Every structure is written in structure tokens, then in C-alpha cells.
């Protein structure tokens, strides 16, 4: 496996420069252990410089420090991995903001990155940059077929592997992992939202560009084709977030709920605010202590009081993160439960574009 | 593993105990902190669903290994 430990441009350490056949180059990157399993775009000095220039960065600039990993992330290596992931240069500011988010103390990288829970690093992009880069917020927003969605998230995962020392089986101990670990990046649909967009709810201005990084170990699609009012609709979401298999029954959770067009329209027509939706979900995402004890999710024998004592999975309304994305047709929305521990919090970073 | 390394950096003797499947992870963490070969103790996986008595028995089994690490 090739080393990324020094400040030198690692790709030069492999005897790739003389290789003419692209297949050989690609195989060399596999041999070095530098891919996510898919072929990478072999970088060159020109493509790396172009990437850095688009981010307005010097190669030796420190992007972040990974607490608990004794590792510093410098711009040069971010740019190299962005090229490898297939990013266009103009995507780099989003990748950089996402990496800054992962390195933020509130995100507490080591837990969600290393855990058996195998979290995807979900990137929600807001603001002008999302539209300028044509990051998909509509049909198939979580799926394939859109270059920025596919490659920005992929670049973040390659940086995690190659620079932030997060390799499967070593400091990435995912029991299953999930397909979102290849890439999970989408934009919020901001054209006709029921509420202010996610980055504004989290303290930035509407004209700011931003990326919110959030660790989620699964994606659960919630279906309801009959609900025409918020209450019955949102009961399905609350139920999905408090089943007996959720990772953390002790509270302190976060969850990301993404409303697609039909469901967003139900909430908009009813005039519900973001805060009302959040409050309803946290009030109804609860189960009896007895339920958790019968399923051995809490220790101890079931006592009489446990049958009437309710345990809520979320403490604070703002821990229900809400975004709008996905197609206008289809009675689907999505719940993305958090990694399941109070030590990590979603982080929203401004995207600095030059 | 990280806790033990950081505590020892602060002058507090410490021994990391991991379950066996996490030996590679412990070694990787020690290496990332410039301490390849850092001694630690491992025990069969899992431990979260052991009874209190089982856990105490497991601790008794590990005590000698922990002491050896502290003296190494």
C-alpha cells in the first residue's frame, strides 16, 4: 500500500509517470491501495494545479486536523483525491468545506468514521453553489447519474481513506458499511420550499453556499400516499425513527429527514413551520420503557411502571434536521438516522468560492 | 487504544483492552500515533452482552496480562 504520510505528492512516489496505457495507470492505483474499489482518474501536475487554483488554495495549506488520528489534511492531497474521484475543478470548494466539516470538533470524526455502524458521510449542499454546479436535488437525488453528486462525495471518502487514515478493516470497522460510503451528496431543493433552507436554519444566510456534513448509518424510505395533513404523515416518520433496532435508545440522537415533493406540499399547504414539524416528530418518536426492556435494548426486568413510562429518542427539536429534495412525484420521503451517539453532531460549513 | 495512548502522554499509566477482532484496529491506531508495537490486551468478542459475573471473570483472566503491559 502506498504511503500518504509525507508532505510530498504521493502519486509521484509510484513509477507512474512513464506509463502510457491508461489501464496500467489505473491498475497501479489499485495496486497501491488508493482506490475505493472503482477505477480512479490518475492525476497529473496540471490537473492538480487546476484543482488547487479553482479552490484558491496553495498546495501546502492546512485544511484541517483530524482529532484522534494525529493527522493533518493539506490542500495538495485534497486536490489529488478530488482529481482521482473525477471531480471537476469547480467542485473543489465543496469538497474542502466538507473536509473542514469532518475535522470540526463537533463532528468528532473518529467515532462515526471508525465505528462498526459504518456511517455514510452525508453531504447536503445549499445555496448558489448547488445551482451553479448543478448538484442534483430532484429525481433520484440519492441515486446515480449526476457527476457532482457522485464525485464530490466520492472525493470525501477517498480523502478519508487515503489522507485521514480511515481504511476498511483498520480504522474503519464497519460491520456492513452501506452504499452511501462510496458517495452520498445531494443538494437541497430550494426553489419552492415550505421553509427556509437547511443552511439558513443552521445560522447562515440564504445567499451563502454551504455544505452540511452528517453521519448516517442507513437510509429508510417512508411511504404514505393517503396522508393529506401533517399529523398522520409525520407519524410514519416518528415511527421509523424509534423502532426497537435503532442504534441509540439512550437519547442525544440526531436524524435527517428529507421530504420529497408530495410530502413537502402536504406540509406547505397546512402552513406548518420547520419548528412545528420538528416538535411533532420528537414528541412522537418514543416508546414505552417496557418495549425496550422486552427487546433487551435496555437492561433489567420489566417493572409495572415501565409500561407507562415513555422514553423519547430525541431531546431537542433542532436535532431533527430537515431538508427538501427528491422528485415531485411519488409518495416517498426519507429518514436517515444518525450514527447513534451524542458525541457526533452535524456540522454546516460555508463554501468559500473565489 | 487512543485513550490509553493519550493518558500515557499525560503521565498516567494505562493499558488498552480491545476485543480480538479489533486487534488490527488497535495496531493501526498505535501506528498512526507513531507507536507501532504498542502493547495492549485483547479478549474474545463480544463483551456487551455478558452478565456482570461473566465480566468479572473476564477481568480476572486479563489481570496478569494487564500487569505485564504496565511493566513493559
Amino acid at each position: 500500500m502506498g504511503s500518504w504520510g509525507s508532505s510530498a505528492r504521493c502519486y509521484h512516489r509510484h513509477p507512474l509517470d512513464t506509463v502510457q496505457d491508461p489501464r496500467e495507470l489505473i491498475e497501479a492505483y489499485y495496486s497501491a491501495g488508493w482506490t475505493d474499489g472503482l477505477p480512479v482518474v490518475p492525476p497529473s501536475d496540471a490537473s492538480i494545479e487546476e484543482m488547487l487554483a479553482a479552490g484558491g488554495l496553495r498546495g501546502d495549506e492546512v485544511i484541517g486536523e483530524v482529532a484522534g488520528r494525529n493527522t493533518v489534511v493539506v490542500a495538495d492531497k485534497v486536490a489529488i483525491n478530488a482529481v482521482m474521484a473525477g471531480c471537476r475543478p469547480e467542485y473543489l470548494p465543496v469538497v474542502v468545506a466538507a473536509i473542514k466539516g469532518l475535522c470540526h470538533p463537533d463532528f468528532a470524526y473518529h467515532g462515526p468514521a471508525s465505528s462498526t455502524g459504518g456511517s455514510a458521510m452525508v453531504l447536503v449542499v445549499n445555496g448558489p453553489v448547488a445551482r451553479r454546479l448543478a448538484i442534483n436535488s430532484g429525481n433520484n437525488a440519492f441515486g446515480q447519474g449526476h457527476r457532482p453528486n457522485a464525485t464530490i462525495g466520492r472525493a470525501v471518502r477517498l480523502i478519508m481513506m487515503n489522507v485521514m487514515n480511515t481504511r476498511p478493516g483498520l480504522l474503519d470497522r464497519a460491520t456492513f458499511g452501506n452504499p452511501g460510503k462510496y458517495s452520498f451528496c445531494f443538494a437541497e431543493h430550494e426553489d419552492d420550499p415550505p421553509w427556509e433552507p437547511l443552511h439558513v436554519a443552521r445560522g447562515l444566510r440564504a445567499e451563502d453556499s454551504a455544505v452540511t456534513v452528517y453521519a448516517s448509518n442507513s437510509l429508510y424510505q417512508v411511504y404514505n400516499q393517503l396522508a393529506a395533513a401533517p399529523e398522520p404523515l409525520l407519524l410514519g416518520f416518528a415511527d421509523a425513527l424509534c423502532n426497537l433496532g435503532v442504534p441509540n435508545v439512550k437519547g442525544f440522537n440526531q436524524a435527517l429527514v428529507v421530504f420529497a415533493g408530495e410530502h413537502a406540499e402536504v406540509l406547505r399547504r397546512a402552513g406548518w413551520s420547520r419548528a412545528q414539524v420538528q416538535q411533532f416528530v420528537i414528541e412522537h418518536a418514543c416508546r414505552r420503557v417496557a418495549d425496550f426492556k422486552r427487546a433487551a435494548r435496555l437492561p433489567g426486568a420489566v417493572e409495572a411502571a415501565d409500561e407507562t413510562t415513555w422514553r423519547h429518542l430525541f431531546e431537542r427539536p433542532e436535532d431533527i434536521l430537515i431538508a427538501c429534495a427528491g422528485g415531485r412525484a411519488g409518495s416517498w420521503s426519507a429518514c436517515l438516522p444518525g450514527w447513534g451517539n451524542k458525541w457526533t453532531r452535524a456540522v454546516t460549513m460555508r463554501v468559500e468560492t473565489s | 487504544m487512543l485513550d490509553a495512548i493519550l493518558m500515557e502522554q499525560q503521565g498516567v499509566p494505562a493499558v488498552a483492552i480491545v476485543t480480538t477482532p479489533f486487534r488490527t484496529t488497535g495496531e493501526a491506531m498505535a501506528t498512526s500515533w507513531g507507536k507501532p508495537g504498542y502493547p495492549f490486551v485483547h479478549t474474545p468478542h463480544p463483551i456487551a452482552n455478558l452478565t456482570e459475573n461473566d465480566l468479572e471473570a473476564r477481568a480476572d483472566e486479563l489481570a496478569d496480562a494487564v500487569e505485564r503491559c504496565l511493566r513493559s
Side-chain angles (χ1 to χ4, degrees):
Chain A
M1 184 180 296
S3 167
W4 289 75
S6 80
S7 59
R9 282 189 174 164
C10 300
Y11 77 104
H12 277 315
R13 296 192 150 197
H14 209 279
L16 299 177
D17 292 351
T18 59
V19 176
Q20 298 300 315
D21 186 338
R23 290 175 303 178
E24 289 183 41
L25 274 171
I26 288 168
E27 289 301 325
Y29 276 83
Y30 276 116
S31 299
W34 291 344
T35 92
D36 53 6
L38 294 167
V40 297
V41 177
S44 64
D45 270 345
S47 60
I48 296 165
E49 292 302 336
E50 195 179 355
M51 193 65 75
L52 287 168
L57 295 166
R58 292 191 326 274
D60 61 353
E61 280 186 52
V62 173
I63 302 300
E65 185 175 349
V66 191
R69 291 290 172 85
N70 201 26
T71 300
V72 170
V73 183
V74 296
D76 213 23
K77 293 176 181 177
V78 171
I80 292 170
N81 282 275
V83 173
M84 288 164 58
C87 289
R88 291 181 58 82
E90 56 265 35
Y91 301 171
L92 191 73
V94 181
V95 176
V96 167
I99 295 300
K100 287 180 177 176
L102 295 185
C103 294
H104 192 286
D106 288 352
F107 192 80
Y109 176 81
H110 179 61
S114 311
S115 163
T116 54
S119 290
M121 301 306 169
V122 181
L123 314 178
V124 188
V125 185
N126 279 104
V129 77
R131 295 182 284 279
R132 190 164 66 249
L133 301 182
I135 301 174
N136 186 24
S137 65
N139 292 323
N140 205 32
F142 299 162
Q144 85 290 2
H146 291 267
R147 182 174 178 177
N149 300 56
T151 61
I152 291 171
R154 187 187 187 203
V156 168
R157 179 57 63 173
L158 286 175
I159 292 161
M160 289 174 63
M161 288 179 58
N162 290 329
V163 187
M164 298 165 79
N165 195 13
T166 311
R167 294 182 180 280
L170 296 174
L171 289 170
D172 171 353
R173 290 308 309 258
T175 302
F176 283 114
N178 71 68
K181 288 183 72 187
Y182 282 98
S183 180
F184 202 147
C185 173
F186 65 98
E188 182 164 27
H189 184 71
E190 295 184 26
D191 289 345
D192 187 22
W195 318 281
E196 73 282 15
L198 178 64
H199 69 308
V200 175
R202 293 177 60 79
L204 298 183
R205 300 170 304 171
E207 58 268 33
D208 288 329
S209 292
V211 59
T212 298
V213 296
Y214 167 74
S216 175
N217 56 21
S218 59
L219 163 63
Y220 184 90
Q221 295 199 61
V222 176
Y223 186 73
N224 193 323
Q225 84 283 31
L226 295 179
E231 293 90 343
L233 174 66
L234 295 176
L235 281 177
F237 293 83
D239 187 58
L241 292 170
C242 69
N243 68 65
L244 292 173
V246 297
N248 184 3
V249 300
K250 296 172 186 165
F252 308 110
N253 296 309
Q254 280 187 320
L256 172 62
V257 176
V258 183
F259 292 109
E262 290 186 19
H263 292 167
E265 182 60 19
V266 168
L267 299 167
R268 194 162 66 92
R269 273 205 318 267
W272 275 41
S273 67
R274 174 188 295 271
Q276 281 177 287
V277 174
Q278 291 168 319
Q279 187 64 36
F280 186 94
V281 171
I282 72 163
E283 282 179 7
H284 291 83
C286 60
R287 299 185 74 106
R288 293 179 179 85
V289 169
D291 295 336
F292 287 122
K293 284 190 170 179
R294 286 194 185 95
R297 295 305 316 280
L298 289 175
V302 177
E303 298 172 5
D306 295 335
E307 303 287 358
T308 54
T309 303
W310 292 81
R311 177 176 285 260
H312 290 259
L313 273 291
F314 302 90
E315 280 73 35
R316 306 181 306 174
E318 61 267 31
D319 284 337
I320 307 296
L321 309 174
I322 295 173
C324 292
R328 290 301 175 107
S331 304
W332 300 98
S333 287
C335 284
L336 293 91
W339 169 57
N341 190 296
K342 66 178 176 179
W343 303 118
T344 182
R345 302 274 101 185
V347 171
T348 300
M349 300 298 296
R350 186 179 289 108
V351 176
E352 305 292 352
T353 52
S354 49
Chain B
M1 178 61 70
L2 177 58
D3 292 341
I5 292 170
L6 295 180
M7 287 177 74
E8 292 212 316
Q9 281 184 350
Q10 301 299 315
V12 181
V15 176
I17 303 172
V18 305
T19 58
T20 307
F22 289 91
R23 287 172 67 180
T24 53
T25 303
E27 288 161 1
M29 178 59 86
T31 300
S32 78
W33 283 84
K35 294 179 178 296
Y38 182 79
F40 60 98
V41 173
H42 57 92
T43 185
H45 192 84
I47 56 171
N49 59 357
L50 296 183
T51 66
E52 198 166 328
N53 287 340
D54 289 340
L55 267 179
E56 287 190 4
R58 195 71 75 85
D60 287 342
E61 290 169 18
L62 295 174
D64 286 348
V66 169
E67 186 178 345
R68 279 196 299 276
C69 272
L70 286 171
R71 292 179 184 281
S72 66

